[in-house]
Amino acid sequence: MATQKRGARWGAIAAAGVGLASGALATLAAQRHVIDSLRARVERLEQSAQSQRDANIAQQQRLHWELLSKAMDDPELAEVLDTYEEAVSAKKQRQFLFANALYTNALCYYRIGNISREEFFGFARGILQNPIFREYWYATRPHRATLIDTSEEAELGQMVDDLLRQLDEADSDEWWVVGEPPAD
């Protein structure tokens, strides 16, 4: 009789243990479902935030182009943007404004992921072959000096500065091989 009672107790304990384990597994499964749902929601929110950031950059680029276009069309408005150390003619000012538009367009493309850092480097290497762009780049060096050193724009500007120095020092006329493209 005592053996039967012990067996029944152990059976009840085992049943309780199985019930406890299955309850714990059910709870873990429900928690896992909630965690997966939350993770998916966070991913959607992050994608939405990135899309909004890209849309904001694109909108800013459009506004930048509109302002530069107005300045290129109206010499009186262009005077507002004449912050160079040396005086430049109205023609040169329009050329500098257009050079700025080209550069900031490439910068925008890079920021929203349409081109890689290596492609940006290739763009810079090509555009630096133009003497007007080089003159613009030299004239705006003080402007870039005001950027925060660790900002993406400052890093890319420094990359272009280094490339320009390498192009100036190169012994070869094969400009397309000068400089080492950065790793992404």
Side-chain angles (χ1 to χ4, degrees):
M1 189 76 160
T3 306
Q4 285 181 343
K5 286 185 179 179
R6 281 189 195 153
R9 264 193 234 144
W10 283 112
I13 291 171
V18 168
L20 182 62
S22 57
L25 288 175
T27 301
L28 286 174
Q31 287 176 345
R32 176 69 178 185
H33 177 71
V34 168
I35 290 170
D36 289 345
S37 296
L38 289 172
R39 183 174 290 124
R41 184 169 183 201
V42 166
E43 287 174 7
R44 284 192 306 274
L45 288 171
E46 286 173 347
Q47 289 171 348
S48 176
Q50 182 62 40
S51 294
Q52 184 61 49
R53 179 181 173 268
D54 291 348
N56 290 345
I57 290 171
Q59 178 62 27
Q60 179 60 40
Q61 181 66 20
R62 279 190 290 279
L63 178 59
H64 182 256
W65 174 249
E66 288 174 23
L67 292 170
L68 288 180
S69 293
K70 287 180 181 189
M72 284 186 267
D73 292 341
D74 186 340
E76 291 178 0
L77 293 178
E79 288 177 14
V80 174
L81 297 175
D82 186 353
T83 58
Y84 309 107
E85 291 179 357
E86 296 179 18
V88 296
S89 68
K91 176 183 174 183
K92 184 66 66 180
Q93 175 71 349
R94 282 191 305 280
Q95 291 171 332
F96 282 6
L97 292 173
F98 190 73
N100 176 269
L102 288 174
Y103 179 75
T104 56
N105 187 59
L107 184 63
C108 175
Y109 266 38
Y110 173 75
R111 284 180 170 162
I112 63 175
N114 285 356
I115 61 174
S116 66
R117 197 172 186 97
E118 186 174 345
E119 290 170 314
F120 183 89
F121 181 85
F123 163 80
R125 185 166 41 196
I127 198 70
L128 285 170
Q129 298 313 301
N130 183 285
I132 296 168
F133 187 86
R134 278 183 181 227
E135 189 178 353
Y136 157 77
W137 196 255
Y138 286 127
T140 56
R141 182 167 280 149
H143 302 166
R144 289 187 303 284
T146 65
L147 296 172
I148 297 171
D149 291 341
T150 57
S151 72
E152 190 174 59
E153 188 172 352
E155 290 174 4
L156 292 172
Q158 184 60 51
M159 182 180 73
V160 175
D161 286 339
D162 293 343
L163 177 58
L164 182 54
R165 183 185 41 74
Q166 292 171 29
L167 287 166
D168 285 344
E169 295 171 356
D171 292 333
S172 174
D173 289 336
E174 296 177 343
W175 58 267
W176 55 92
V177 297
V178 174
E180 187 67 32
D184 278 327

